[in-house]
Amino acid sequence: MKFHLLLIFAGLFVAFQSMGSMKPDSVVRKWKQEFTTGINLNQSSFSDNWKGGGTNTFATGWYLNHSANVQNNSWRLASDLQMQVGFLQNRTQSLRKNVDRIFYEFKAGYRISPKWDYYGSTNFQTQFFQGFEYNKKNSAGVPVDSITSSIFAPAYLTTSMGFEYHPQKAFYTRFGIGSLRQTFVLDERISRAGLYGLQKPGDNIRNQFVFQFLANVDKDVFENVNLKARYSALIDYFRFGVSNGIVHRFDANLTMKVNKYLSTNVQAVLFRDYDQDPNWQFSQILSMGLLYKISK
């Protein structure tokens, strides 16, 4: 446990101390920042005698993204915050979530060649609201809604150090040879269920020493069309070579800007974590709505 704590503090030290140890030429290079927020709405309704089939639905969502980065001859620093939440209601069902995410990452990369950096990063992920498995039958055979997740249940904190390769501006890949992934389950109802790879029911934290591989693309594929894609693999050193020792996650986001205030967005997530479910998990959302963007 002491080793794990030392690794966390070392990662945080590399990430944040770097801001105070940059060379003088970095002072005049200000952070490039981008702030985007928006609301998406979707609604359909049918009369009771509509013969074409269908059900009344209403969906709404909100998102907020903030990114900041600065580069000079010695450092590449990047901060990335993503928050998103959405709800869907059908006529025959209660209000349910269709997306819920809190994500933040800070990375400090020290250049060791034009294309290679030594980096330290801290990555945090959780959600806002409770998640349920609907209509799960209890021991009496009665359908019930079973809670499966909540804020900080789970939450993932990954502190990583290693090497980052930048072959071109729109793409980089990361090799985190020294990474600690911590899983927090702070809701007692969920921790008692023994979910998310906890060693035993009632535990609140799990530590894993992992190798992190990450590939990231951020590219304007056409005019007013942007593609962001990110694949990450976390390989448990103590389960190396075993299929259930790898956590895979692929996020893709295609944004088509209609004008200054309107955009269409297609988002897909492919995810596999044996500590949650042995099968692949998939989600896809198509939305259109209002956006507000500031760049400086």
Side-chain angles (χ1 to χ4, degrees):
M1 187 63 181
K2 291 182 178 179
F3 172 76
H4 292 148
L5 292 174
L6 286 173
L7 187 58
I8 295 171
F9 290 132
L12 292 172
F13 180 82
V14 170
F16 294 104
Q17 183 69 12
S18 60
M19 297 183 65
S21 59
M22 291 185 292
K23 291 186 176 182
D25 68 337
S26 67
V27 176
V28 297
R29 302 192 182 192
K30 296 182 179 180
W31 288 80
K32 294 181 180 179
Q33 300 187 59
E34 183 174 288
F35 172 84
T36 307
T37 187
I39 297 175
N40 300 313
L41 298 171
N42 184 283
Q43 183 269 337
S44 64
S45 60
F46 305 87
S47 64
D48 292 337
N49 63 341
W50 182 259
K51 299 302 188 290
T55 185
N56 297 350
T57 63
F58 175 79
T60 183
W62 166 85
Y63 65 91
L64 182 151
N65 299 326
H66 179 270
S67 63
N69 64 82
V70 63
Q71 299 184 20
N72 57 50
N73 294 331
S74 299
W75 294 91
R76 281 187 251 245
L77 307 179
S79 172
D80 185 18
L81 171 66
Q82 301 174 26
M83 295 190 293
Q84 188 178 12
V85 65
F87 295 93
L88 171 69
Q89 184 169 28
N90 293 328
R91 182 177 182 179
T92 57
Q93 296 178 335
S94 60
L95 186 69
R96 300 181 178 184
K97 290 192 305 181
N98 63 354
V99 63
D100 188 2
R101 189 180 191 220
I102 302 173
F103 172 92
Y104 178 72
E105 180 176 82
F106 182 85
K107 184 214 67 177
Y110 182 77
R111 296 177 189 261
I112 55 179
S113 76
K115 294 184 178 181
W116 285 92
D117 297 350
Y118 173 72
Y119 83 90
S121 71
T122 299
N123 175 302
F124 176 77
Q125 301 181 59
T126 189
Q127 61 193 51
F128 286 101
F129 301 105
Q130 294 179 347
F132 294 90
E133 183 178 352
Y134 294 97
N135 296 322
K136 183 178 179 180
K137 293 184 179 180
N138 60 18
S139 57
V142 179
V144 295
D145 297 340
S146 175
I147 186 170
T148 58
S149 60
S150 184
I151 187 168
F152 285 97
Y156 298 101
L157 178 66
T158 304
T159 306
S160 180
M161 293 178 288
F163 299 93
E164 193 171 78
Y165 177 54
H166 292 258
Q168 53 183 282
K169 185 178 180 180
F171 172 80
Y172 67 83
T173 187
R174 190 180 295 173
F175 306 91
I177 56 177
S179 304
L180 176 66
R181 185 195 196 216
Q182 294 183 286
T183 303
F184 298 91
V185 182
L186 303 186
D187 189 309
E188 292 300 325
R189 295 168 296 177
I190 300 170
S191 66
R192 286 197 300 269
L195 301 176
Y196 304 108
L198 297 176
Q199 187 173 1
K200 61 180 184 297
D203 283 355
N204 298 117
I205 185 171
R206 181 191 184 194
N207 297 311
Q208 292 173 275
F209 189 43
V210 301
F211 173 85
Q212 180 189 57
F213 172 78
L214 187 147
N216 190 87
V217 176
D218 187 346
K219 184 179 180 62
D220 291 330
V221 291
F222 301 106
E223 184 178 0
N224 294 327
V225 179
N226 176 263
L227 172 66
K228 290 182 173 66
R230 176 184 173 113
Y231 168 75
S232 68
L234 298 173
I235 305 171
D236 192 320
Y237 278 115
F238 295 100
R239 291 191 289 173
F240 192 81
V242 182
S243 59
N244 65 3
I246 306 176
V247 176
H248 302 271
R249 183 179 176 108
F250 176 73
D251 293 82
N253 197 307
L254 187 68
T255 302
M256 294 160 279
K257 190 175 179 181
V258 179
N259 56 39
K260 186 177 180 180
Y261 300 107
L262 292 174
S263 71
T264 299
N265 184 272
V266 181
Q267 175 183 324
V269 178
L270 186 63
F271 180 63
R272 190 176 196 178
D273 184 347
Y274 282 85
D275 293 325
Q276 292 190 17
D277 193 297
N279 300 309
W280 286 92
Q281 301 178 52
F282 174 75
S283 70
Q284 181 269 322
I285 298 173
L286 171 64
S287 59
M288 181 174 180
L290 299 172
L291 67 85
Y292 178 72
K293 182 176 180 179
I294 300 176
S295 299
K296 62 179 181 177

